[in-house]
Amino acid sequence: MLKRFVDVRDEEVGAVLGAFVYFFTLMCGYAILRPIRNEMGTAGDVKHLPWLFTVTFVVMLLAVPAFSALVARYPRRVVVPRVYRFFLFNLLAFFVLLKWGVAKEGVARAFYVWLSVYNLFVVSIFWSFMADVFASDQGKRLFGFIAAGGTTGMIVGPFLVGRLAEPVGPVNLILVSAVMLEVSAQCVRRLGHWARDVQHQPATREGPVGGGMLAGLRLLVTSPFLLALGLQVLLYAATSTFLYYQEVQLVASLAKDAAARTAAFADIDFWVQILTLGIQTLVTGRVISRLGLGVAMAVAPVLTLVGFGVLAFAPVLGVLIGVKSLRGASHYALERPSREILFTTVDREARYKSKSFIDTVVYRGSDTLSAWLQGGLTALGLGMTGLSLAAVPVAALWLAVALYLARQQRTRAAESIPQTQTQTTLPGGTTA
């Protein structure tokens, strides 16, 4: 049945389904928490959001070197589950504080920052692990379906919140997220066994990465390819922040209480995820395999460019929902899996260290700069029309970087073909 939708080999089925469950539980647990986070961030004045972005960025600056030090010393089968369980214990601590009602305002702000860090970190680790377990050609065929696991989780999570929040209580749902995170950690162990026993990956692929705690930054600034990947994430995050601010302003102007705001955010997320799931399961693998990464990576920036142009002349909630749904679907279903395929062509140190730096510090740094820039432009008198027009050239630059990366990937893949063709398969699946 799976082969009807995905170009999967017999020996890959178990791993693909395991990766699907892994990403599903990871994102379902996050989706349960996100409506609470969004409401905490917007219940007060929107002007406070740049400070929350800034604190998040500072926390990222501290967290990424710590993670780099871990992957330098310990194998992935140890690091990934332990990082997830560290966040699991954080969740349990928030559960206790919120249950007891300790320093509600301070805990709410800390939770907003923590969830912003948590989301980027665990997703970055997930894709680093996927790029380590699957080869580049497997990624082109399978990453779209695996990404659909996360999208499904982002649909099921809000559904559970809607059905359980009243009888169980929102705070108690934190325990459901904790259980989901533990299931994710167990999936890491099983996928590691598959990579060793079926993929026949050498022990070095599972061992410590080595290097220093700041190696990710060093590799980033010395590699044009990694710099372009970082610029792509920076430009995507910048346009996301501009769109998020417009979303917050429109929702705040139409919905006057916490329940209405939470419902509005949930409705927007629902349509984004529904469109994303359909594209991921039916389109992504075929587009990437047949039309190439260039087309797959270009769709999101093109839609973003057009979307901001439309919003400039029709800044209303219905248009914003349409723009965000199409942009989000194209990003999660096409652009993000394509970007993760690019990381299968770099070495393990860049895959874990530089990638985590790009996905977290660069992303949140762009958030922070964009938030303050948006605030400054608003203070100068620019309304939603002016802000939308200001985002158009940013989207155009994002498109140019995406096309450059697609060309670089073709070059890197072509350079690796001669080496691959000289390998001979030996008994037991090893190569020479």
Side-chain angles (χ1 to χ4, degrees):
M1 185 179 296
L2 183 63
K3 288 183 177 181
R4 295 179 181 177
F5 304 100
V6 186
D7 183 12
V8 60
R9 312 291 185 256
D10 289 339
E11 68 276 9
E12 297 168 343
V13 171
V16 168
L17 293 176
F20 184 96
V21 172
Y22 175 6
F23 206 23
F24 168 82
T25 54
L26 200 66
M27 299 311 294
C28 184
Y30 166 68
I32 290 172
L33 303 172
R34 188 164 72 163
I36 305 170
R37 190 280 307 266
N38 284 344
E39 203 289 313
M40 287 179 178
T42 59
D45 196 328
V46 174
K47 291 184 293 185
H48 294 157
L49 286 175
W51 290 105
L52 293 175
F53 280 129
T54 303
V55 174
T56 302
F57 174 64
V58 172
V59 173
M60 286 293 190
L61 288 176
L62 300 175
V64 170
F67 175 72
S68 295
L70 286 175
V71 297
R73 297 182 57 187
Y74 300 102
R76 70 188 184 194
R77 59 181 170 80
V78 173
V79 173
V80 178
R82 287 189 179 179
V83 169
Y84 286 168
R85 286 177 181 133
F86 168 77
F87 283 117
L88 190 154
F89 289 132
N90 292 169
L91 269 176
L92 296 178
F94 277 115
F95 170 76
V96 172
L97 292 173
L98 291 169
K99 199 72 174 175
W100 289 354
V102 178
K104 291 183 179 181
E105 185 175 343
V107 171
R109 291 178 179 174
F111 184 76
Y112 185 97
V113 171
W114 177 88
L115 195 62
S116 300
V117 173
Y118 165 83
N119 174 42
L120 290 183
F121 227 98
V122 298
V123 173
S124 177
I125 292 172
F126 168 81
W127 283 114
S128 293
F129 186 69
M130 291 297 103
D132 214 18
V133 169
F134 294 99
S136 180
D137 66 306
Q138 291 175 311
K140 291 179 181 178
R141 293 185 288 107
L142 305 175
F143 278 7
F145 180 77
I146 291 171
T151 303
T152 307
M154 292 296 291
I155 294 172
V156 173
F159 177 83
L160 291 176
V161 173
R163 298 301 181 276
L164 298 177
E166 188 172 346
V168 174
V171 174
N172 293 324
L173 291 176
I174 290 177
L175 299 178
V176 179
S177 293
V179 172
M180 295 282 186
L181 193 52
E182 177 58 27
V183 174
S184 299
Q186 294 298 325
C187 289
V188 171
R189 181 174 60 86
R190 292 182 176 274
L191 284 167
H193 291 326
W194 177 83
R196 183 186 65 237
D197 299 336
V198 179
Q199 292 276 76
H200 303 292
Q201 287 186 350
T204 54
R205 284 288 294 272
E206 194 171 317
V209 172
M213 63 188 301
L214 297 179
L217 177 60
R218 175 182 56 79
L219 291 170
L220 176 63
V221 299
T222 57
S223 167
F225 184 70
L226 291 174
L227 274 175
L229 279 167
L231 181 58
Q232 184 198 30
V233 170
L234 184 146
L235 295 170
Y236 165 72
T239 56
S240 297
T241 302
F242 269 70
L243 194 61
Y244 176 63
Y245 262 71
Q246 300 209 21
E247 178 185 357
V248 168
Q249 290 172 343
L250 286 172
V251 169
S253 66
L254 297 175
K256 303 302 183 183
D257 55 50
R261 285 192 297 268
T262 303
F265 283 122
D267 286 342
I268 294 171
D269 288 342
F270 175 79
W271 288 111
V272 170
Q273 303 308 326
I274 287 292
L275 281 172
T276 301
L277 181 61
I279 296 174
Q280 282 171 332
T281 53
L282 301 175
V283 177
T284 300
R286 293 174 175 84
V287 168
I288 294 176
S289 298
R290 297 176 184 177
L291 300 181
L293 292 180
V295 173
M297 296 177 68
V299 175
V302 167
L303 288 176
T304 300
L305 191 155
V306 174
F308 275 115
V310 175
L311 274 172
F313 296 98
V316 296
L317 187 60
V319 172
L320 182 137
I321 291 174
V323 170
K324 188 168 183 180
S325 297
L326 292 172
R327 167 195 151 92
S330 62
H331 166 68
Y332 290 113
L334 295 172
E335 194 257 357
R336 181 65 189 263
S338 301
R339 189 204 315 160
E340 304 309 336
I341 291 170
L342 297 176
F343 278 105
T344 64
T345 65
V346 301
D347 60 35
R348 295 188 72 228
E349 190 169 24
R351 194 174 297 154
Y352 279 97
K353 295 181 180 180
S354 297
K355 176 172 169 50
S356 67
F357 186 90
I358 290 170
D359 287 348
T360 57
V361 174
V362 172
Y363 191 105
R364 287 307 178 205
S366 178
D367 270 350
T368 303
L369 291 174
S370 301
W372 287 108
L373 176 61
Q374 175 112 5
L377 293 175
T378 302
L380 291 175
L382 264 70
M384 292 189 64
T385 296
L387 294 172
S388 295
L389 291 175
V392 168
V394 180
L397 180 57
W398 176 21
L399 174 61
V401 174
L403 295 176
Y404 166 81
L405 284 168
R407 288 196 300 272
Q408 288 296 307
Q409 195 275 339
R410 288 195 298 271
T411 302
R412 296 164 74 90
E415 290 173 351
S416 68
I417 289 175
Q419 180 181 356
T420 303
Q421 291 177 339
T422 59
Q423 292 181 341
T424 303
T425 303
L426 300 175
T430 57
T431 59

